[in-house]
Amino acid sequence: AQSVSQHNHHVILSEAASLELGCNYSYGGTVNLFWYVQYPGQHLQLLLKYFSGDPLVKGIKGFEAEFIKSKFSFNLRKPSVQWSDTAEYFCAVTANQAGTALIFGKGTTLSVSS
Amino acid sequence: ETGVTQTPRHLVTGMTNKKSLKCEQHLGHNAMYWYKQSAKKPLELMFVYSLEERVENNSVPSRFSPECPNSSHLFLHLHTLQPEDSALYLCASSQGLPGDTIYFGEGSWLTVV
């Protein structure tokens, strides 16, 4: 079965600082990887995903993530955070098979101070 | 607006009541999901329906009973709930194909008193 580990529970940054959130997954087969974001009071929405091809994936709002297969990792990065990036970030994995659902990590709360 | 609508948004219920959560997706998707989001825990997958058939049930207590009458609607029927069932219940949908984006509703907040 798949599982996802997010190393940081709560990250606090100042505006313009760089961000990296760790994510490791456990699964022996081919996977699809996702980062979802949940802004305060809003629904979960997709930030970016890796399906195949270039392991460096660019998403919305300047976020990117790199899939490193040998490390089973899919870390999320942003070079310069903004106050509006304050949210909860979830890494998720699904096996590359039809009908399989997302398995989520525990989430990382990002607080950005202005 | 996500294309996935959940009602009610908030529900307070006693342990002996029977209630239902409703989800409707307007995206033409073939798969629908129920997730439970509790504080300090990862989102827990509860049920998966693909083409109206249940394909996954993650050891969810029988007091939670899903129903998928068609590809656009998903229900979660609740009875004899426990206080630890208080959580945000998220409905989601996708095409059901590998690598698909899963679209979430805004959730139904359930409080069991």
Side-chain angles (χ1 to χ4, degrees):
Chain A
Q2 307 112 57
S3 66
V4 179
S5 260
Q6 290 185 243
H7 316 300
N8 314 101
H9 179 60
H10 193 180
V11 173
I12 302 172
L13 294 173
S14 300
E15 273 194 323
S18 64
L19 169 72
E20 181 160 2
L21 301 182
C23 173
N24 285 89
Y25 67 93
S26 171
Y27 183 68
T30 303
V31 295
N32 303 304
L33 296 155
F34 302 76
W35 277 96
Y36 276 80
V37 61
Q38 190 171 29
Y39 297 104
Q42 295 189 28
H43 63 275
L44 272 165
Q45 54 189 288
L46 183 70
L47 204 53
L48 48 80
K49 70 178 183 182
Y50 171 79
F51 179 52
S52 64
D54 189 345
L56 183 61
V57 179
K58 295 194 183 298
I60 61 172
K61 303 185 181 185
F63 286 91
E64 64 178 31
E66 186 175 11
F67 171 47
I68 303 179
K69 189 174 180 181
S70 60
K71 295 184 178 180
F72 296 89
S73 70
F74 191 55
N75 292 355
L76 181 71
R77 300 193 293 250
K78 185 171 183 178
S80 176
V81 295
Q82 301 172 315
W83 176 80
S84 57
D85 293 324
T86 295
E88 192 152 15
Y89 293 81
F90 295 91
C91 183
V93 64
T94 183
N96 191 32
Q97 299 168 15
T100 56
L102 282 177
I103 305 300
F104 284 85
K106 288 187 176 182
T108 298
T109 301
L110 173 64
S111 300
V112 180
S113 58
S114 54
Chain B
E1 177 58 49
T2 69
V4 180
T5 304
Q6 291 186 240
T7 54
R9 294 295 313 281
H10 298 270
L11 176 63
V12 179
T13 184
M15 290 191 284
T16 57
N17 294 356
K18 290 184 181 181
K19 297 288 184 183
S20 294
L21 305 180
K22 179 183 174 183
C23 176
E24 183 174 0
Q25 58 97 358
H26 313 278
L27 301 169
H29 287 162
N30 294 320
M32 296 188 76
Y33 313 82
W34 279 115
Y35 283 87
K36 177 183 178 183
Q37 187 174 23
S38 308
K40 302 191 189 306
K41 283 186 172 183
L43 275 83
E44 300 169 58
L45 177 65
M46 298 176 74
F47 301 103
V48 180
Y49 276 83
S50 180
L51 297 172
E52 299 149 49
E53 287 191 18
R54 190 190 305 183
V55 296
E56 192 161 340
N57 173 357
N58 271 12
S59 303
V60 179
S62 59
R63 58 185 182 270
F64 295 91
S65 173
E67 179 191 1
C68 188
N70 56 61
S71 59
S72 299
H73 293 86
L74 185 65
F75 294 89
L76 188 62
H77 303 299
L78 317 167
H79 66 94
T80 57
L81 291 170
Q82 304 298 312
E84 61 265 28
D85 298 325
S86 298
L88 179 66
Y89 290 84
L90 292 169
C91 176
S93 72
S94 76
Q95 287 286 13
L97 299 173
D100 276 346
T101 299
I102 292 184
Y103 294 84
F104 286 85
E106 293 185 337
S108 293
W109 279 103
L110 174 68
T111 302
V112 181
V113 297

